[in-house]
Amino acid sequence: FACRENTHCPDFDAPSTVVLGQPDATSARELPHVPQGPHRLRFPYGVAAEGDLVAVADTANNRILLWRDPPGTGAGHPAALVLGQDDFARAGENRWTAVTRDSLCWPYALHLHRTPAGRRVLAVADSGNNRATLWTLD
């Protein structure tokens, strides 16, 4: 780890300032087979950030959660948007139906970037469907 010149370098072993997916910084509770809502994650495998947007691959819930303007501190913050499910209460692989353009099955890695035209695109490794999907967010 090397800090770049003219940037703030955190001390090693410094605590995190924001926790997403748990009610506080010392919890690690998993809620299998129950609605997760916008506050909980189950096996988050990928995170991507760009500007005011943070995306998390909520892998075991077969969805992507998005936070806009994430808070600077604290825990238990609800996500603003969900991709791959009809609402925050659902978690089924491909919504327990057929594979569709907007369904997910075990999403893993994410990449979020802004195109030269200024649009944000989220790339998702949709591993359970053996594909990668691109989602235009702006």
Side-chain angles (χ1 to χ4, degrees), residues 28-47:
R29 187 170 177 209
E30 178 189 358
L31 300 173
H33 313 297
V34 298
Q36 305 296 311
H39 297 87
R40 294 278 191 200
L41 297 170
R42 187 164 179 241
F43 298 102
Y45 279 98
V47 177

Side-chain angles (χ1 to χ4, degrees), residues 89-105:
R90 312 239 189 262
E93 296 172 354
N94 295 309
R95 297 188 192 104
W96 301 127
T97 61
V99 179
T100 64
R101 291 179 60 193
D102 62 346
S103 69
L104 295 169
C105 182

